[in-house]
């Protein structure tokens, strides 16, 4: 049954059985990895236990272009993908939060397309590409989940490109704060860990450190955020989202396989 | 790393930097502030505001004023802009012109010496 099911029929069957409207990539991958899906789904990942690695802050997982034979899933901490430009400056091109795949493109290309470094201490689970391939053949939703990871990272990149190209310094900063909050917290007012330094923010936002400093203080002075001791509170999300031109729709999973209408 | 504060002085007042930023050296802090001044000026000009009267006061962790950075300084059109030459380039051009003039003088002197020598030979040959 598992082998013969098409992705569409498999997802529909899974949805009917679990009562879930959608199967989210993060949930699915998490469930596959920690075995919780085995209680409600057709089975846990086959084979030997997965390799878990713990990296200290600042440690580089991959160089740009490095060959990769495994898919790395972030379980804890914050990581970044970054590129060095000609004058030695760094541009951060992606931030990864728990649940994200750090190098999904390497499964297709065989190598990474940016350097990946731990921003905080991180814990990752590595799934050999051979097992990813087996799992996709065994469970079509695994392939869909991987495709969603790539699609979501593509959506994030598009927003970042719009920020770097067209948004003002305060707008792109507000947008990033809204985005990180949406990706790491379900609550709009809860203080979330915000371990990015001004230097790291500058590398993400394409701004100088002093400019980032000024913008953060502008947002604080306007009563929109509180940032202290590496914790961020959004005090006025509607206004911050307005300044940041932020609409969280690009972060949400659509439903690629809607139930046919009767 | 040292902590620096970048207070922004505007025509209407002084915006205190309550956070500060970390830099290895004052030079690095100054260079980064220069980049910030350029970017902030660009945004202000886009909004038809005048950044020329703003300045950063860069202070140490104990709030000692280390250096001022007027935005007008980073906005000044450098001599290397089209139609002008940088000071270094102008100096180099002047030096090259001096060398050319000296070479010309030297060549002329050598030529004159040759002519004089030839005249002497001619005179001696006629004796």
């Amino acid at each position: 049954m598992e082998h013969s099911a098409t992705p569409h029929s498999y997802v529909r069957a899974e949805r009917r059985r679990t009562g879930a409207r959608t199967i989210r990539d993060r949930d699915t991958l998490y469930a596959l990895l920690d075995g919780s899906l085995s209680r409600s789904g057709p089975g846990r990942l086959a084979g030997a236990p997965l390799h878990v690695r713990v990296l200290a802050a600042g440690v580089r997982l991959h160089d740009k272009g490095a060959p990769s034979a495994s898919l790395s899933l972030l379980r804890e901490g914050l990581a970044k993908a970054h590129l060095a430009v000609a004058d030695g400056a760094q541009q951060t091109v992606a931030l990864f939060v728990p649940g994200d795949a750090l190098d999904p493109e390497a499964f297709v290309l065989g190598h990474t397309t940016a350097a990946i470094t731990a921003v905080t201490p991180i814990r990752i689970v590595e799934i050999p590409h051979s097992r990813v391939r087996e799992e996709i053949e065994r469970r079509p939703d695994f392939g869909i989940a991987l495709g969603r990871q790539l699609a979501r990272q593509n959506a994030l990149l598009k927003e970042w490109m719009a920020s770097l190209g067209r948004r003002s310094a305060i707008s792109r900063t507000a947008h990033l704060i809204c985005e990180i909050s949406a990706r790491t917290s379900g609550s709009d007012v809860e203080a979330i860990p915000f371990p990015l330094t001004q230097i790291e923010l500058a590398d993400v936002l394409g701004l100088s450190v002093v400019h980032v400093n000024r913008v953060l203080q502008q947002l604080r002075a306007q009563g929109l955020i509180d940032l202290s001791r590496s914790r961020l509170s959004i005090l006025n999300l509607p206004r911050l989202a307005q300044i940041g031109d932020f609409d969280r729709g690009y972060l949400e999973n659509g439903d690629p396989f809607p139930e046919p209408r009767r | 790393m040292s902590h620096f504060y970048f207070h922004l002085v505007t025509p209407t007042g002084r915006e205190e930097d309550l956070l500060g930023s970390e830099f290895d050296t004052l030079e690095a802090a100054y260079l980064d502030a220069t980049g910030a001044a350029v970017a902030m000026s660009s945004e202000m000009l886009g909004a038809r505001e005048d950044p020329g009267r703003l300045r950063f006061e860069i202070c140490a962790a104990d709030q000692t004023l280390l250096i001022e950075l007027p935005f007008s300084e980073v906005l000044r059109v450098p001599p290397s802009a089209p139609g002008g030459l940088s000071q270094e380039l102008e100096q180099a051009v002047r030096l090259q012109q001096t060398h050319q003039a000296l070479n010309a003088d030297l060549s002329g002197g050598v030529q004159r010496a040759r002519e004089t020598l030839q005249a002497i030979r001619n005179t001696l040959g006629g004796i």
Side-chain angles (χ1 to χ4, degrees):
Chain A
M1 175 67 184
E2 288 170 24
H3 288 279
S4 60
T6 65
H8 292 234
S9 63
Y10 176 86
V11 171
R12 284 191 205 115
E14 185 77 357
R15 194 177 292 161
R16 276 194 292 274
R17 203 172 40 70
T18 62
R21 280 198 67 242
T22 58
I23 295 177
R24 294 184 179 178
D25 57 337
R26 184 191 296 186
D27 295 343
T28 306
L29 286 166
Y30 258 64
L32 284 167
L33 291 167
D34 67 15
S36 63
L37 199 66
S38 65
R39 289 192 293 273
S40 58
R44 63 179 67 218
L45 278 171
L50 295 164
H51 186 219
V52 176
R53 284 176 68 187
V54 177
L55 279 72
V59 171
R60 188 171 290 197
L61 176 66
H62 290 306
D63 286 324
K64 180 191 171 189
S68 174
S70 61
L71 175 70
S72 305
L73 286 142
L74 185 63
R75 298 300 303 269
E76 293 172 19
L78 184 70
K80 64 179 180 182
H82 53 104
L83 298 171
V85 292
D87 65 356
Q90 293 284 328
Q91 178 65 49
T92 297
V93 293
L95 287 172
F96 302 107
V97 300
D100 288 341
L102 300 181
D103 46 10
E105 78 280 10
F107 174 67
V108 185
L109 303 175
H111 60 84
T112 57
T113 54
I116 295 171
T117 299
V119 175
T120 65
I122 62 170
R123 186 180 180 86
I124 58 173
V125 175
E126 293 181 322
I127 311 175
H129 286 167
S130 57
R131 288 185 64 187
V132 173
R133 198 172 300 114
E134 287 169 15
E135 199 61 28
I136 289 171
E137 289 168 1
R138 198 171 74 89
R139 300 192 47 169
D141 68 328
F142 197 94
I144 294 167
L146 196 57
R148 277 193 170 138
Q149 284 275 343
L150 285 161
R152 180 186 291 182
Q153 291 184 16
N154 188 23
L156 288 165
L157 275 176
K158 286 174 182 167
E159 286 292 333
W160 283 31
M161 188 184 291
S163 280
L164 290 170
R166 291 295 179 190
R167 292 187 179 118
S168 66
I170 193 168
S171 178
R172 70 178 81 163
T173 306
H175 191 280
L176 180 73
I177 289 172
C178 288
E179 181 188 290
I180 291 175
S181 174
R183 292 172 67 193
T184 56
S185 166
S187 165
D188 293 339
V189 292
E190 181 188 345
I192 58 166
F194 196 82
L196 292 168
T197 64
Q198 289 182 12
I199 295 170
E200 284 158 343
L201 277 173
D203 287 347
V204 173
L205 297 167
L207 300 171
S208 64
V209 175
V210 174
H211 204 174
V212 168
N213 176 352
R214 295 301 318 166
V215 169
L216 290 176
Q217 291 190 84
Q218 276 181 276
L219 295 172
R220 206 159 80 155
Q222 292 177 35
L224 303 178
I225 63 164
D226 183 30
L227 185 57
S228 55
R229 289 191 289 279
S230 298
R231 291 191 74 77
L232 169 77
S233 297
I234 295 179
L235 307 176
N236 187 342
L237 181 64
R239 178 69 185 131
L240 191 69
Q242 186 184 22
I243 291 173
D245 183 29
F246 177 77
D247 177 348
R248 60 177 299 151
Y250 70 100
L251 296 172
E252 292 169 355
N253 289 326
D255 189 351
F257 309 120
E259 292 282 0
R261 290 192 172 188
R262 298 173 186 238
Chain B
M1 295 282 258
S2 302
H3 210 75
F4 297 94
Y5 290 90
F6 302 82
H7 306 300
L8 183 66
V9 181
T10 73
T12 56
R14 187 171 188 263
E15 294 178 16
E16 298 283 330
D17 177 2
L18 302 174
L19 295 174
S21 304
E22 303 278 336
F23 289 98
D24 286 334
T25 62
L26 174 60
E27 289 78 9
Y30 183 85
L31 281 175
D32 194 277
T34 301
V38 170
M40 290 167 69
S41 298
S42 173
E43 288 194 349
M44 290 181 73
L45 289 168
R48 297 204 168 273
E49 295 171 8
D50 177 16
R53 295 165 67 195
L54 272 59
R55 70 173 189 274
F56 277 130
E57 289 181 356
I58 304 177
C59 296
D62 64 359
Q63 296 299 333
T64 305
L65 177 62
L66 299 172
I67 193 167
E68 289 191 348
L69 175 58
F71 281 30
S72 58
E73 204 169 274
V74 300
L75 290 173
R76 204 171 49 213
V77 178
S80 57
L85 293 171
S86 71
Q87 283 186 330
E88 292 80 4
L89 190 55
E90 283 177 350
Q91 282 177 351
V93 168
R94 278 199 296 273
L95 194 62
Q96 188 188 25
Q97 287 169 343
T98 305
H99 284 166
Q100 284 174 339
L102 286 172
N103 278 337
D105 281 354
L106 190 61
S107 298
V110 169
Q111 184 59 33
R112 282 192 296 278
R114 281 181 181 152
E115 289 170 1
T116 304
L117 188 59
Q118 189 59 46
I120 291 169
R121 281 182 180 148
N122 292 343
T123 304
L124 290 175
I127 294 175

